[in-house]
Amino acid sequence: MRRVPLVDLKAQYATIREEVNCAIQRVLENASFILGSEVASFEAAFAQYIGVHGSVGVASGTAALHLALRACGVGPGDEVITTAFSFIATAEAISQCGARPVFADIVPETFNLDPHEVEKLITPRTRAVVPVHLYGHPAEMESLRRIAAEHNLYLIEDCAQAHGAEYNGQRCGAIGDVGCFSFFPAKNLGCYGDGGAVTSNNERLLSGIRALRNHGRLDKYVHQEIGFGERLDSLQAAVLSVKLQHLEEWTEARRRHAETYSRLLAGAGVTLPVANPLVRHVYHLYVLRTPHRDELLERLKVCGIEAGVHYPIPIHRQPAYLKQGYDSVCLPVTEQAAAEVLSLPMYPELQAEQLEQVARCLWDAVDK
Ligand SMILES: *Cc1c(COP(=O)(O)O)cnc(C)c1O
């Protein structure tokens, strides 16, 4: 019995070894390591891929969110509405600006922000809404865009799990005012360290973020404001330029694997992921739900299947946020999702036998 990991970065490297080694060597020979032409050319290619005017490479997905929020003027006294069913960085970036995250509940089908709940939480202090396109399925962007426009709020997309995802033919990262991407190694487009980018059609926001990531620099010696050291480096940009050329084929592989899982698991008594017909789901994760999650996770582990849970503790229940006075926040749909979700192995290089092995183990496990 072979082990099936949740993700397999070694399998991916094996398919692009020559191209990546060559790109890394080019950077070493040029000995230009911070920003520079490697970063600029990746930024241009990534903006074109997303379908926006420009992109700015930054140090991580968290930095992308943090700098995007700052460029939108979010600061102390402001509220930003987002989801508690995400990686903590979504809320952390809001807190880093001195603003307060306000958590709206999600819809049970896609685990994304419920626009009706968002609308109920708007106050005169609300400055922005941050939807997360969780697991690679775009949030309800049409309603969110309408709500943001009506209330004059910035719409900042957390696209950390949604490279290449589309809503109504538009790519995530091109729909709101700013898109924030992570290139953490295990993301759909990942580098070999930390990295991130923001995308936008708004040149004012882009140039604000460009200055903020680089110590508020106007030019070499002039700093127009107090900024941050949150730049993307040249080695990561060179790796990303190689990998971006493979992203579409990798995304199509993920989508085929998701289809195979759904075919093999139909009728197994667990709730399978669904995709709204308006969207292109990019399956960063293939997430099913069942009230017997913990038992199932244990049984899969015994047969060598490395499943995961994204996320077992919603952000408002994290010790870091309980301390901030979130103990009375009640989000029933989020809390139930956190108790029931289970992520199956998902990466482009998965083989047919591995998909079958996962499905077989899952059927066996639910039969017990
Ligand atoms: C990964 C992730 C982030 C943070 O990205 P980093 O590059 O790790 O800082 C933010 N939001 C979501 C939804 C993520 O999955």
Side-chain angles (χ1 to χ4, degrees):
M1 183 191 61
R2 285 178 50 216
R3 195 180 70 95
V4 184
L6 188 61
V7 292
D8 189 345
L9 296 176
K10 288 182 188 170
Q12 185 184 73
Y13 177 57
T15 70
I16 53 173
R17 181 179 286 120
E18 297 311 319
E19 291 166 86
V20 167
N21 290 359
C22 180
I24 288 175
Q25 191 163 10
R26 183 179 69 228
V27 176
L28 300 186
E29 301 289 349
N30 287 338
S32 162
F33 298 109
I34 304 292
L35 297 174
S37 64
E38 293 287 351
V39 171
S41 77
F42 171 70
E43 287 173 338
F46 192 62
Q48 188 178 26
Y49 175 79
I50 298 300
V52 285
H53 180 67
S55 94
V56 181
V58 295
S60 66
T62 310
L65 288 160
H66 170 219
L67 300 185
L69 287 156
R70 289 215 178 232
C72 291
V74 172
D78 292 334
E79 294 174 352
V80 177
I81 301 174
T82 189
T83 167
F85 198 52
S86 179
F87 181 57
I88 193 164
T90 311
E92 223 170 23
I94 297 165
S95 303
Q96 283 167 0
C97 294
R100 187 165 178 82
V102 173
F103 298 116
D105 214 348
I106 55 173
V107 292
E109 296 79 21
T110 63
F111 308 101
N112 282 324
L113 269 185
D114 182 340
H116 300 291
E117 297 297 317
V118 169
E119 213 158 11
K120 286 190 218 161
L121 293 170
I122 295 172
T123 74
R125 291 171 182 270
T126 310
R127 186 95 181 185
V129 180
V130 182
V132 177
H133 307 301
L134 200 70
Y135 310 145
H137 188 297
E140 273 307 321
M141 293 309 285
E142 194 171 311
S143 319
L144 291 173
R145 194 151 60 172
R146 181 186 51 75
I147 293 167
E150 262 170 32
H151 298 268
N152 200 20
L153 307 174
Y154 281 104
L155 187 56
I156 301 172
E157 301 175 66
D158 183 336
C159 306
Q161 305 187 0
H163 315 70
E166 292 171 17
Y167 183 93
N168 236 338
Q170 253 185 321
R171 288 225 159 122
C172 291
I175 307 170
D177 296 288
V178 200
C180 303
F181 289 85
S182 165
F183 304 128
F184 181 83
K187 301 291 160 98
N188 287 28
L189 176 62
C191 54
Y192 294 155
D194 275 310
V198 298
T199 54
S200 181
N201 285 313
N202 182 327
E203 191 46 53
R204 181 183 58 83
L205 293 178
L206 288 167
S207 61
I209 293 162
R210 226 173 264 125
L212 281 173
R213 75 169 168 183
N214 195 16
H215 307 287
R217 256 198 183 103
L218 201 56
D219 62 34
K220 189 168 180 194
Y221 296 113
V222 182
H223 303 263
Q224 65 186 347
E225 64 193 310
I226 298 168
F228 302 87
E230 292 191 341
R231 303 167 294 218
L232 181 66
D233 69 70
S234 314
L235 275 169
Q236 302 307 339
V239 170
L240 288 165
S241 292
V242 170
K243 292 180 95 181
L244 181 58
Q245 293 174 328
H246 296 275
L247 183 57
E248 278 304 288
E249 83 201 51
W250 289 337
T251 300
E252 285 307 313
R254 287 177 184 274
R255 289 166 50 79
R256 281 196 304 278
H257 299 336
E259 224 173 90
T260 304
Y261 270 145
S262 294
R263 182 165 41 76
L264 296 175
L265 297 174
V270 293
T271 306
L272 301 176
V274 290
N276 175 331
L278 284 179
V279 313
R280 181 192 196 209
H281 191 332
V282 295
Y283 293 97
H284 171 59
L285 293 166
Y286 183 92
V287 177
L288 44 84
R289 65 188 296 169
T290 161
H292 313 292
R293 194 264 314 281
D294 293 337
E295 296 100 295
L296 201 54
L297 198 62
E298 204 38 55
R299 294 213 173 106
L300 289 172
K301 194 168 156 192
V302 171
C303 16
I305 312 295
E306 206 181 272
V309 177
H310 303 85
Y311 297 87
I313 307 174
I315 301 173
H316 67 296
R317 293 282 183 239
Q318 290 289 349
Y321 278 96
L322 287 174
K323 269 187 242 168
Q324 303 285 318
Y326 285 82
D327 24 336
S328 60
V329 174
C330 178
L331 303 166
V333 186
T334 295
E335 282 154 34
Q336 196 180 343
E340 296 188 349
V341 292
L342 185 152
S343 316
L344 294 183
M346 176 53 86
Y347 51 91
E349 297 74 19
L350 269 174
Q351 301 297 307
E353 311 81 73
Q354 294 178 299
L355 293 164
E356 283 156 20
Q357 186 186 335
V358 174
R360 234 182 359 259
C361 291
L362 202 131
W363 273 96
D364 284 350
V366 292
D367 279 348
K368 282 183 191 142

